[in-house]
């Protein structure tokens, strides 16, 4: 096997993938579908921009919705989405209320729906809207909410989560009609009681959006708990982040006990904040009809041809000619150690966490009040003190019943909010469809900002956290490998300084969402092209490629200066390694074997030609005679010379 | 994973001389400890199934058996086992055959025997590594005159050494971390040899140190271990641990600057490599089983279609898009071959640990024997270190793999310096979840009392010891030096099972052990679990006991289930399952007496004997006879009509038993179905 398997996945890896699936537990377990209605104010004010270049609030809403659609196609295509306009001239809804237009009922996101949304984009979109639907003069928000509630109740599937996002820039919709306003409040209360969340995505309004006029009583007070109040969004970016923060529902991987000692236990939830996203697995289709086929796997006896039940088989391994046979359950039991949970072992200073002892991606731990009361308080106390004393908690962690334990460090993290008052955390997946709002246009993922646009080195606003513990996996002795390291040859200060200049020139601000996965992006672009019958799929821009031109331009002559300082004139750093065979041979030992006889060394010393030898050779010589030299060539020379002159 | 190029020849060289058996009261002797360490080592070797070969040389033995012995030379040195693949015989030898000797032998002579053995027995075979592991207390005298020759020869033939001693020796220097290493020391125990060692041993230590220094320099001292250290950290057997493949590439910065590098995996989760194969329950052969996958339409009849009539497609939202493998291959993203290219540099604090992902850590060094590359990479490492910055790089292993974006940060140690590469997430891999703030939440604000309680808890459970004077912190619980208990469990579990088979062939001693264990098991786990609802196949005897004792099922019901399992076990005709059946039968018997259900048991046992005869399971019946499991007698339970005499006869060999017990069988009836009897 190659010791270097990467994360590249193909059909053969399915088993591994399944295992990953197990690991990811909470993400794959199915508890119903999330459903989300985008409720968009289509009154005239939504189509007016304050600035020539600025997007209209309506346009911004549509682009944002579209982005969620394409997102969902990739991440959770079973979820249900709908789009409803209100304040329209035409109406289209099951109860024939005026001024309410259901554009799309709750259904899975698909290509056709995305194309339909695209028609409402930009200036043409505005015209299209006016032709097809038109602005109405009046509406009743309570009726609007009623229609939304109906959409939810028309769905046949089990729904795990129901949410309405309201996009508007009108802060007092029924200012002149207190009866209407009160009906709207009542209706909103009804929705809340039936478990439907209503979020306000308020957009920029001339003179500011005042939530106290109307919406404060209508919108669920869940934000009060979180302690975060959103500002109104004037930029698409802000709106997108706001929407995404709401739209991805957090799923707990597991809820476990954290035992501080034999008497004190609290419960915590474990969350996955990073999870490798893979291309979705292919489905097999029947050639004639393109309908998906089911697969069935059967186990049968070769000799008798009879089907075997799981109880007709056992598990076996053979070691040096001896076979071990166990029941399947017994093989599971072998893996059982502790009950799932954390057992606190003790505390270590934070500085003892080694960055290079990374084992697998970390998880996030947050208190879970539902199982043991007071968990949050105790958790909070633990977090406060760990932060204050700069320690981490080392625990033995058993994720599941039949999984062996591992050591983990619970590293405290303090909460930081960014300027939008959204907890700064990675934004959710973003759709790949490149038409319209392309991320690549948007953030351009530029690791190298254009010259002259270097970020302020002191700018640290983006290193922000959610308060809780980061669960860091610690390696076992078995997981570490000794590597045959290359002999240390130190660069001199001049060389280091030149490199520093190079590093400074290529500075950029890293953001975890700067890079898209080019493999996935290309896959979805291909899918898109096929779905839309495009002739050629759009080529995804590979953000992982170095922008060599920009880099070269910024570096200017620095590279040549550095090379001159470091590389001998005839040196070719691109050259193929020709000493391949030699490499292989000396591979066993961690040091290059440079055999030098005593005579040779003496000769060098007496002739003063010792300096011609390479540093590894000199080190080897020092080692042979048990001499302790420094790391610098001159130090080695001195020690050796001294040794032989004495002798 | 067995690779011929990675093959090692290992000689275990153990001192069994007089002094090795000495120990303080209540402590294990060096002899026993050495055996333990060797056992662990060999176990790992056996289960790792690599191609390494292991020999065992003992010195201080009463006898002499080695190729060099002549006259009074090389006496009391025994080559116990020649170089060959380790197996269970070797483990058993170490466990039971090696006996303490009453002689003393020269350690250096023993080393020469080991070297000679390696030379002779690796001739014509390709071994990548050769080494000798010496287990001794250094209390035997040795003659120094050959020392230099030995060292020279060890070097010449590339044989490495490791020493395992009953006590720790002072170690200084080594490959400590710069930054964290100078402050922290992981060493256990005192840094000087404990008191109470003899002059001879002191001399021995000096000699061992000298040998190791001459072989490996400063690092050599790291290869001298105490037994307890070795037992604690199996990983000390560095010579047999897995080695990483080198990956050569160029680190590029822009289009004009490249540095030749080589990278190795330094941390990756070691998983259990061997998987369980599915075998037929009766024949225990895997060949008897075949799996097939069929495709069928999603209609009422589940019409099967052949694989050729299916094509590949992908979901895209609510749509399914047919996309053949050929098209996919043509249209998919293609990376442009291996690379390690810098995309830019940023502050190290911007790349938080919580974003690290992937399944490996790479250490990136300059290419071997390339001083120019080493200086160039060193410049980068120190530039990053001094600026507190990191590189963000694109990493592609080869043209067939997908590109990664990752971070490369500097790591500077006394002995080496490198860049450490860890993968970072793509935007698609991130999840944004929001959590209520803990900071300003009135509901979960802890009181002062709670805070100070937690404060005290943290202080009382510190895993480090601070030395204020030296300003060092000692890690009392270095997790990364602890071996994964899962592997230990596997080794032990498999060893037990395998011993179980083999020992049975020799005698029934292990069998008894097994039952005792089971008994003990019952008391602890079954009561704790308390949720047994039927007799399962994993722990039938135990389940049965729980069921009848906790009255979760009637005795009749539970015994039916138990008998079902016994029948299944016997049908396998496998010794392991005979033993399991025996456990069941014994449990049945005991509980039957307890619950006055003796008749039920007696009927069962009689029917069982018939069945055994029909199915020719004589081997099994022998076990029953050997263990003396017979009918329940009058003396044991008043409800029984069986006399002790009859019970004895019941187990007597067939010929005699036939006539006598014929009568007893009349009530038996149909022997084919044991269950009907009860």
């Amino acid at each position: 096997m190659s010791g270097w398997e990467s994360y590249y996945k193909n059909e053969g890896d399915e088993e591994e993938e399944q295992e990953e699936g197990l690991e990811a537990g909470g993400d794959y377990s199915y508890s119903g579908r999330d459903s989300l209605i985008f409720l968009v104010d289509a009154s005239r004010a939504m189509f007016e921009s304050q600035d020539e270049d600025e997007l209209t609030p309506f346009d911004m809403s549509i682009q944002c919705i579209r982005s969620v659609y394409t997102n969902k196609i990739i991440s959770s295509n079973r979820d249900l989405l709908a789009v409803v306009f209100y304040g329209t001239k035409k109406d289209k809804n099951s109860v024939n209320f005026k001024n309410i237009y259901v554009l799309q009922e709750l259904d899975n996101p698909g290509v056709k729906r995305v194309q339909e949304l695209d028609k409402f984009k930009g200036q043409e979109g505005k015209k299209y809207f006016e032709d097809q639907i038109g602005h109405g003069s009046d509406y009743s928000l309570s009726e609007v909410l009623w229609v939304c509630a109906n959409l939810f109740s028309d769905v046949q599937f089990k729904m795990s989560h129901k949410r309405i996002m309201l996009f508007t820039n009108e802060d007092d919709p029924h200012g002149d009609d207190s009866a209407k306003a009160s009906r709207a409040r009542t209706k909103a209360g009804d929705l809340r009681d039936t478990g439907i969340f209503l979020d306000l995505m308020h957009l920029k309004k001339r003179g500011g959006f005042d939530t106290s006029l109307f919406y404060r009583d209508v919108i669920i007070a869940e934000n009060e708990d979180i302690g975060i109040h959103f500002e109104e969004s004037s930029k698409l970016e802000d709106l997108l982040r706001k929407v995404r923060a709401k739209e991805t529902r957090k799923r707990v991987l597991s809820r476990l006990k954290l035992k501080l000692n034999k008497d004190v236990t609290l419960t915590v939830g474990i969350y996955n904040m990073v999870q490798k996203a893979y291309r979705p697995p292919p489905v097999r289709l029947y050639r004639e009809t393109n309908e998906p086929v089911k697969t069935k796997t059967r186990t049968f006896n070769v000799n008798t041809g009879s089907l075997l039940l799981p109880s007709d088989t056992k598990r076996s391994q053979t070691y040096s000619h001896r076979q071990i046979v166990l029941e399947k359950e017994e093989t599971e039991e072998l893996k059982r150690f502790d009950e799932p949970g954390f057992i606190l072992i003790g505390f270590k200073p934070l500085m003892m966490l080694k960055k290079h002892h990374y084992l697998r991606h970390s998880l996030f731990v947050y208190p879970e009040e539902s199982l043991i009361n007071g968990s949050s308080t105790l958790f909070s106390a633990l977090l406060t003190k760990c932060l204050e004393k700069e320690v981490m908690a080392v625990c033995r962690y058993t994720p599941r019943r039949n999984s062996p334990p591992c050591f983990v460090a619970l590293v405290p993290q303090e909460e930081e909010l960014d300027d939008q008052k959204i907890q700064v955390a990675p934004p959710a997946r973003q759709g790949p469809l490149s038409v319209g709002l392309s991320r690549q246009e948007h953030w351009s993922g530029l690791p190298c900002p254009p010259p002259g646009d270097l970020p302020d080195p002191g700018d640290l606003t983006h290193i922000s956290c959610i308060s809780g513990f980061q669960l860091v996996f610690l390696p076992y002795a078995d997981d570490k490998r000794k590597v045959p390291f290359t002999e240390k040859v130190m660069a001199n200060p001049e060389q280091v300084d030149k490199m520093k200049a190079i590093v400074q020139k290529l500075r950029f601000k890293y953001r975890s969402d700067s890079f898209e996965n080019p493999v996935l992006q290309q896959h979805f672009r291909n899918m898109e092209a096929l779905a839309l019958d495009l002739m050629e799929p759009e080529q995804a821009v590979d953000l992982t490629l170095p922008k060599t031109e920009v880099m070269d331009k910024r570096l200017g002559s620095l590279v040549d200066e550095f090379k001159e300082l470091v590389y001998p004139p005839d040196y070719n750093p691109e050259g193929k390694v020709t000493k391949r065979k030699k490499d292989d041979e000396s591979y066993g030992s961690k040091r290059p074997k440079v055999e030098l006889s005593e005579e040779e060394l003496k000769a060098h010393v007496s002739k003063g030609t010792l300096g011609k030898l390479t540093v590894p050779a000199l080190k080897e010589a020092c080692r042979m005679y048990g001499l302790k030299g420094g790391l610098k060539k001159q130090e080695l020379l001195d020690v050796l010379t001294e040794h032989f002159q004495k002798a | 994973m067995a690779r011929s190029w990675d093959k090692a020849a290992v000689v275990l060289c153990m001192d069994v001389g007089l002094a090795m058996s000495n120990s303080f009261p209540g402590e294990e002797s060096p002899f026993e400890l050495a055996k333990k360490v060797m056992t662990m080592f060999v176990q790992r070797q056996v289960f790792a199934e690599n191609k390494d070969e292991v020999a065992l040389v003992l010195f201080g033995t009463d006898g002499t058996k080695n190729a060099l012995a002549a006259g009074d030379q090389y006496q009391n040195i025994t080559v116990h086992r020649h170089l060959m693949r380790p197996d269970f015989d070797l483990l058993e030898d170490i466990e039971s055959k090696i006996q303490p000797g009453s002689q003393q032998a020269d350690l250096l002579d023993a080393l020469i025997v080991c070297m000679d053995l390696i030379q002779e027995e690796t001739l014509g075979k390709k071994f990548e590594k050769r080494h000798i592991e010496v287990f001794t207390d250094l209390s035997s005298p040795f003659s120094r005159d050959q020392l230099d020759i030995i060292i020279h020869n060890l070097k010449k033939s590339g044989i490495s050494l490791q020493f395992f001693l009953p006590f720790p020796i002072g170690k200084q220097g080594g490959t400590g971390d710069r930054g964290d290493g100078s402050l922290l020391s992981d060493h256990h125990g005192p840094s000087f040899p404990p008191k109470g060692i003899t002059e001879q041993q002191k001399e021995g230590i000096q000699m061992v140190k000298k040998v190791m220094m001459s072989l490996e320099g400063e690092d050599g001292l790291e290869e001298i271990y105490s037994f307890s250290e070795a037992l604690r950290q199996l990983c000390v057997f560095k010579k047999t641990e897995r080695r990483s493949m080198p990956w050569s590439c160029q680190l590029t910065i822009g289009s004009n600057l490249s540095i030749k590098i080589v990278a190795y995996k330094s941390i990756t989760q070691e998983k259990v490599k061997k998987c369980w194969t599915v075998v037929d329950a009766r024949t225990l052969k895997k060949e008897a089983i075949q799996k097939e996958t069929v495709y069928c339409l999603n209609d009422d009849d589940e019409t099967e279609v052949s694989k050729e009539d299916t094509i590949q497609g992908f979901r895209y939202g609510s749509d399914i898009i047919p996309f053949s493998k050929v098209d996919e291959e043509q249209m998919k993203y293609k990376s442009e071959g291996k690379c390690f290219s810098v995309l830019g540099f940023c502050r190290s604090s911007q790349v938080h640990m919580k974003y690290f992902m992937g399944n490996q850590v790479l250490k990136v060094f300059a290419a071997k024997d390339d001083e120019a590359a080493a200086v160039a990479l060193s410049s980068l490492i120190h530039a990053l270190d001094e600026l507190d910055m990191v590189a963000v790089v694109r990493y592609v292993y080869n043209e067939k793999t997908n590109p990664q974006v990752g971070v490369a940060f500097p790591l500077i140690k006394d002995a080496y310096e490198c860049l450490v590469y860890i993968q970072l997430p793509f935007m698609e891999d991130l999840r944004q979840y929001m959590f209520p703030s803990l900071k300003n939440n009135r509901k979960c604000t802890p009181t002062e009392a709670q805070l100070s309680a937690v404060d005290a808890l943290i202080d009382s459970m510190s895993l480090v010891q601070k030395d204020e004077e030296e300003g060092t912190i000692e890690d009392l619980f270095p997790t990364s030096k602890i071996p994964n208990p899962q592997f230990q469990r596997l080794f032990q579990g498999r060893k037990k099972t395998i011993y179980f088979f083999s020992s049975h062939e020799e005698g029934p001693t292990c069998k008894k052990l097994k039952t005792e264990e089971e008994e003990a098991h019952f008391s602890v786990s079954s009561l704790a679990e308390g949720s047994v609802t039927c007799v399962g196949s994993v722990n039938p005897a135990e389940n049965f006991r729980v069921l009848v004792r906790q009255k979760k099922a009637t005795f009749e019901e539970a015994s039916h289930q138990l008998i079902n399992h016994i029948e299944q076990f016997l049908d396998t005709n496998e010794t392991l399952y005979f033993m399991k059946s025996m456990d069941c039968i014994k449990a049945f018997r005991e509980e039957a007496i307890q619950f006055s259900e003796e008749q039920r048991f007696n009927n069962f046992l009689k029917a069982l004997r018939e069945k055994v005869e029909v199915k020719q399971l004589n081997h099994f019946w022998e076990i029953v006879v050997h263990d003396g499991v017979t009918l329940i007698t009058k003396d044991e339970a008043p409800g029984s009509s069986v006399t002790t005499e009859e019970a004895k006869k019941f187990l007597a060999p067939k010929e005699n038993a036939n006539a006598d017990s014929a009568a007893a069988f009349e009530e038996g009836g149909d022997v084919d179905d044991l269950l009907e009897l009860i």
Side-chain angles (χ1 to χ4, degrees), chain A residues 350 382-383 386-387 390-393 410-414 468-470:
Chain A
L350 272 178
L382 196 64
L383 185 68
C386 281
L387 281 167
E390 296 186 348
V391 291
M392 57 188 176
L410 297 182
V411 180
Q413 42 183 58
E414 198 160 16
F469 283 100
Q470 188 199 348

Side-chain angles (χ1 to χ4, degrees), chain A residues 193-210:
Chain A
D193 294 343
T194 51
I196 298 171
F197 293 85
L198 177 60
D199 292 318
L200 176 65
M201 296 296 151
H202 49 316
L203 300 154
K204 201 168 180 183
K205 185 192 176 187
R206 202 160 279 152
F209 195 105
D210 185 357

Side-chain angles (χ1 to χ4, degrees), chain B residues 549-659:
Chain B
R549 286 187 196 177
Q550 297 183 349
K551 305 236 165 24
K552 285 223 179 122
T554 62
F555 196 90
E556 182 180 1
E557 216 174 287
S559 56
H560 267 251
Q561 294 177 1
L562 184 73
I563 291 167
N564 262 329
H565 285 297
I566 296 176
E567 288 196 327
Q568 277 176 18
F569 293 151
L570 292 183
D571 283 344
T572 64
N573 203 356
E574 263 299 312
T575 320
L576 175 66
Y577 290 97
F578 287 175
M579 305 324 298
K580 228 171 167 169
S581 304
M582 277 312 294
D583 294 337
C584 295
I585 296 169
K586 285 176 187 168
F588 190 5
R589 194 174 191 280
E590 278 169 32
E591 301 301 318
I593 296 172
Q594 206 71 37
F595 286 86
S596 306
E597 297 276 359
E598 53 283 330
Q599 201 54 45
R600 206 178 287 280
F601 178 78
N602 285 353
N603 287 344
F604 155 75
L605 197 66
K606 285 172 192 167
L608 180 69
R609 188 170 73 166
E610 284 304 296
K611 184 178 170 110
V612 160
E613 211 169 301
V614 175
K615 301 216 167 167
Q616 301 201 318
L617 296 163
N618 301 336
H619 191 49
F620 172 68
W621 194 249
E622 281 166 29
I623 302 172
V624 177
V625 174
H626 181 275
D627 283 12
V629 176
T630 183
L631 302 172
I632 298 172
T633 64
K634 266 198 266 199
D635 305 340
E636 289 172 286
S640 168
S641 58
V642 182
T643 62
T644 318
E645 187 79 355
E646 281 168 341
K648 239 183 211 166
K649 269 188 190 156
F650 180 74
L651 292 180
K654 247 294 90 85
E655 306 84 76
N656 310 338
N658 253 350

Side-chain angles (χ1 to χ4, degrees), chain A residues 83 113 260 268:
Chain A
V83 177
R113 296 180 133 218
L260 296 185
V268 292

Side-chain angles (χ1 to χ4, degrees), chain B residues 282-296:
Chain B
R282 279 163 197 271
T283 59
L284 299 186
K285 296 249 174 2
K286 71 163 184 237
E287 295 77 19
I289 289 186
Q290 208 167 29
K291 261 192 175 180
E292 67 165 11
T293 304
V294 290
Y295 300 92
C296 53

Side-chain angles (χ1 to χ4, degrees), chain A residues 3-4 6-8 27 73 109 111 248 250 273 275-277 279 282-285 287 294-298 300-302 312-314 316-320 322-323 325 329-330 333-334 336 346-348 358 366 385 389 404 415 423 426 429 433 457 464 470 475-482 484-486 488-491 495 500 504 506-508 510 515 517 521 526-527 542 544 551-552 563 567 571 573-574 587 591, chain B residues 44 88 219 241 243-245 247 255-256 258 260 265-268 270 274 277 279 281 284 288 290-296 302 308-311 313 316-319 323 328 331-333 342-343 345-347 350 354 357-358 361 365-366 368 370 375 378 386 389 394-395 397 401 403-404 413 427-437 455 459 461 463 475 477 480 482-485 489 494 498 538 576 580:
Chain A
W4 283 87
S6 75
Y7 67 94
Y8 183 71
D27 295 276
I73 286 177
V111 177
T248 46
K250 59 177 182 277
M273 309 296 266
Q275 170 79 46
K276 184 93 217 114
R279 188 199 69 184
V283 269
R284 293 228 73 85
L285 308 174
R287 191 182 287 281
K294 287 198 288 190
T295 54
K296 286 195 290 192
T297 307
R298 302 190 285 225
F300 63 93
N301 187 303
V302 181
D312 295 327
T313 61
K314 294 192 192 303
S316 145
Q317 287 190 346
T318 307
Y319 284 97
S320 75
R322 296 191 200 179
Q323 190 185 26
V325 182
E329 294 88 338
E330 290 172 319
E333 259 177 42
L334 266 182
R336 187 175 306 166
F347 296 89
K348 285 186 190 178
Y358 161 84
Y366 192 79
K385 280 293 164 185
K389 299 174 91 89
E415 176 175 301
Q423 285 166 335
R429 287 169 194 168
L433 294 193
S464 308
Q470 188 199 348
Y476 278 119
D478 312 74
D479 304 323
K480 290 194 299 181
R481 298 178 180 194
K482 278 220 166 136
F485 52 81
T486 306
K488 187 165 175 172
V489 185
M490 287 262 278
Q495 292 162 334
K500 275 192 194 165
Q504 296 280 24
L506 300 178
R507 243 182 133 133
F508 79 111
Y510 174 79
F515 300 98
N517 184 341
Q521 292 295 328
N526 291 343
M527 289 299 104
D542 187 351
T544 70
M551 291 170 84
D552 290 347
K563 284 208 261 195
Y567 289 152
Y571 183 78
E574 277 89 25
Y587 182 58
R591 301 201 169 78
Chain B
R44 285 172 84 91
F88 291 96
D219 292 354
E241 74 188 8
R243 215 174 43 201
S244 288
M245 294 275 285
W247 179 76
S255 62
N256 290 321
S258 55
K260 275 200 247 182
K265 248 186 203 180
S266 85
I267 289 187
T268 189
E270 207 57 49
K274 193 145 176 161
T277 41
V279 295
L284 299 186
Q290 208 167 29
K291 261 192 175 180
E292 67 165 11
T293 304
V294 290
Y295 300 92
C296 53
E302 302 207 316
E308 287 68 44
D309 286 332
T310 64
I311 50 169
Y316 185 74
S318 52
D319 314 285
F323 196 31
E328 193 197 354
M331 288 168 77
K332 77 172 185 196
Y333 176 89
V342 172
L343 301 178
F345 300 97
C346 67
R347 283 180 159 274
Q350 282 173 2
K354 70 182 173 193
M357 59 184 295
V361 175
F365 299 95
K368 286 245 177 289
D370 187 333
V375 173
S378 175
E386 285 167 34
M389 289 178 74
R394 168 189 159 100
Y395 161 70
Y397 174 61
T401 58
Q404 292 180 5
K413 300 225 181 190
M427 188 264 293
E428 292 89 338
D429 307 329
L430 299 166
R431 303 184 175 191
Q432 183 180 38
Y433 295 145
M434 292 233 298
F435 293 88
S437 167
D455 195 271
D459 288 340
M461 290 183 77
L463 293 175
D475 191 345
F477 192 72
S480 67
I482 296 170
N484 189 338
R489 162 81 64 94
R494 287 173 200 164
I498 288 172
V538 180
L576 175 66
K580 228 171 167 169

